[in-house]
Amino acid sequence: MHSSVRPEVVLLLTTLDLNHPDTRQRPYHRDGRPFTRAERDLLITFTPEEKAAAIAQIELEGEWQRELDEMKDAFVDLLMKYFAKLPEGSVVSDAVAIMADEDYAEFERLAEIATAEDTLEFRALYEGS
């Protein structure tokens, strides 16, 4: 059976900025770029199935972002637990040096997750240049 959902249309729907001030005149991506003519022409052909797929994707992205934010908060809370025991001006390596083994394991797990987004962003911006 052939899928009636076109990924390129779902992608356009998920990047559509419904809050852009000029949205009544033309569609914009969430990053501020206006849709090209080809994108606009494709966008107006979306099906109910593609709209449903886009909504599901947006909900998944929102859930993922909430989980990531919770992990980042847990990462900061873990560090603050140890910074409270250290003199003012201490740095992360000072906190890590006095961590209990189980907290250190959690620190390593959360550090990888909490910094992944920033690391990917850094790589995208600087490694290709």
Side-chain angles (χ1 to χ4, degrees):
M1 181 176 195
H2 186 269
S3 174
S4 61
V5 176
R6 297 168 292 173
E8 64 275 16
V9 175
V10 174
L11 179 62
L12 287 177
L13 288 169
T14 62
T15 64
L16 184 60
D17 182 357
L18 297 173
N19 297 315
H20 192 281
D22 196 29
T23 200
R24 291 190 183 274
Q25 303 300 316
R26 67 186 303 178
Y28 286 83
H29 293 274
R30 283 188 271 170
D31 66 5
R33 292 178 298 122
F35 276 47
T36 64
R37 176 171 295 286
E39 288 172 327
R40 289 193 315 260
D41 291 347
L42 186 57
L43 183 67
I44 62 173
T45 67
F46 76 87
T47 66
E49 294 83 8
E50 290 163 340
K51 179 181 176 184
I55 290 169
Q57 180 62 32
I58 290 167
E59 289 171 353
L60 281 173
E61 288 174 9
E63 183 181 320
W64 174 81
Q65 189 60 55
R66 282 187 296 280
E67 288 177 12
L68 183 60
D69 290 344
E70 287 172 9
M71 287 185 228
K72 286 181 176 184
D73 290 344
F75 180 70
V76 170
D77 291 345
L78 178 62
L79 283 172
M80 295 312 291
K81 171 179 160 181
Y82 287 94
F83 274 120
K85 300 174 184 180
L86 293 167
E88 192 173 320
S90 296
V91 294
V92 171
S93 59
D94 298 328
V96 170
I98 64 169
M99 281 185 182
D101 290 345
E102 66 219 25
D103 283 344
Y104 181 74
E106 182 68 354
F107 168 81
E108 282 193 317
R109 183 184 79 81
L110 290 172
E112 206 169 293
I113 294 165
T115 60
E117 185 177 12
D118 299 329
T119 301
L120 290 174
E121 214 170 270
F122 177 84
R123 286 182 179 166
L125 289 173
Y126 300 106
E127 285 188 357
S129 40

